[in-house]
Amino acid sequence: MINAIQTHKDINAVYRTTVFVPALLYCLLITHSSWANLADYPTPSWLQFNSVAENMVINSLPSEVYYFTSESSSASTLDYYRKQWQSHPDYSPGYRESWVSPWHILARTEEGKLITLQIQDDSDGTSLGYFTIADMSRAQTVETSDVPMMTGSKILNQSLSEDGDKKSSVTLVSNSFSISSNTDFYLSYYLDEGWTNDVHQEESDSVTLVFRKGRQEANLVIRQLFGVTQIVINTVIQ
């Protein structure tokens, strides 16, 4: 979990955990009580922004998330933000840059906020991505002890959301075990805990599992990525 961070010198440790699984991580977690304002940050005219989450807890940091699209490739957007974020007021480097396929990522700290831009090119020459503003001064404790995972697994990312009576969590877990071993583990775990298995769909490189127990639903996607097995666990109580 991430503690509050006071200076841009700590950005490396935080920034590595801000790469998301957008389709699962954002589409289901929409909350309210906006505290950030996109207009306070540089936004080029060629990007079309849409708010996705106004107060989502991502790795213990309350975050405001925007989805954006562009009719042009990512090159112009990356160049724009490199120039905007070239340095801090003390002339130290203004951002960190990395590539985690298919995402190109820029991250910057500014006045107690961690700002992350992640962008990728689409097949038709357009681009899309996410712009996230995280409040480092309001770091929260995220409970991970209840996350089921095989021994030796690591939690890479976790998000929590509340929308009225609906509570959601999305956790990204990684380990070195095979897809089949993880599948057997999660089937045994949830069935032993009294959940029913509604979906068990196997593809060549992934497995999708859906479990249900009363008002709770757990959706899991298990897949190979970057030489390890990653498990996305999305749990919803409504």
Side-chain angles (χ1 to χ4, degrees):
M1 292 178 286
I2 301 169
N3 297 320
I5 300 164
Q6 301 302 320
T7 73
H8 63 272
K9 295 179 181 178
D10 301 300
I11 191 173
N12 191 39
V14 180
Y15 145 75
R16 286 196 300 267
T17 62
T18 60
V19 182
F20 309 118
V21 183
L24 288 174
L25 196 57
Y26 292 139
C27 293
L28 300 176
L29 301 180
I30 299 176
T31 58
H32 302 287
S33 303
S34 174
W35 50 265
N37 187 347
L38 184 63
D40 294 335
Y41 300 91
T43 51
S45 59
W46 58 85
L47 295 185
Q48 302 298 316
F49 287 88
N50 289 286
S51 178
V52 175
E54 296 180 338
N55 195 10
M56 179 192 296
V57 178
I58 301 175
N59 287 316
S60 80
L61 299 178
S63 303
E64 184 150 341
V65 183
Y66 296 88
Y67 172 75
F68 63 80
T69 58
S70 173
E71 294 299 319
S72 60
S73 68
S74 62
S76 57
T77 300
L78 289 167
D79 286 343
Y80 173 85
Y81 281 100
R82 289 186 187 110
K83 292 176 182 177
Q84 291 289 324
W85 293 342
Q86 186 173 6
S87 67
H88 285 93
D90 61 0
Y91 301 105
S92 58
Y95 64 89
R96 293 191 62 87
E97 184 168 356
S98 187
W99 170 263
V100 181
S101 181
W103 297 103
H104 203 132
I105 304 146
L106 301 181
R108 168 183 173 85
T109 56
E110 181 178 310
E111 297 181 344
K113 305 294 191 298
L114 173 63
I115 310 160
T116 306
L117 172 89
Q118 63 180 82
I119 189 169
Q120 65 169 286
D121 290 316
D122 213 342
S123 58
D124 59 357
T126 62
S127 58
L128 56 89
Y130 294 91
F131 191 91
T132 304
I133 307 163
D135 188 350
M136 297 185 293
S137 68
R138 296 196 295 140
Q140 300 179 15
T141 300
V142 178
E143 181 59 55
T144 60
S145 60
D146 294 333
V147 177
M149 55 186 179
M150 299 181 71
T151 301
S153 300
K154 296 180 179 179
I155 295 178
L156 302 181
N157 205 309
Q158 186 173 67
S159 298
L160 306 176
S161 176
E162 291 189 28
D163 186 7
D165 293 333
K166 183 177 180 179
K167 298 180 179 180
S168 305
S169 69
V170 178
T171 306
L172 177 60
V173 175
S174 174
N175 61 45
S176 59
F177 299 102
S178 65
I179 291 178
S180 59
S181 294
N182 277 279
T183 300
D184 291 341
F185 170 82
Y186 285 104
L187 283 169
S188 296
Y189 173 85
Y190 281 101
L191 293 176
D192 289 348
E193 293 293 320
W195 296 65
T196 59
N197 180 211
D198 290 355
V199 175
H200 182 171
Q201 181 178 341
E202 298 193 11
E203 305 290 342
S204 59
D205 60 351
S206 66
V207 173
T208 300
L209 301 171
V210 178
F211 299 95
R212 200 175 302 277
K213 182 180 181 180
R215 296 172 56 243
Q216 302 178 76
E217 180 178 314
N219 297 269
L220 286 76
V221 177
I222 306 169
R223 61 175 183 166
Q224 285 283 331
L225 191 64
F226 307 127
V228 298
T229 300
Q230 292 192 351
I231 307 98
V232 178
I233 307 171
N234 175 33
T235 303
V236 179
I237 302 175
Q238 51 187 343

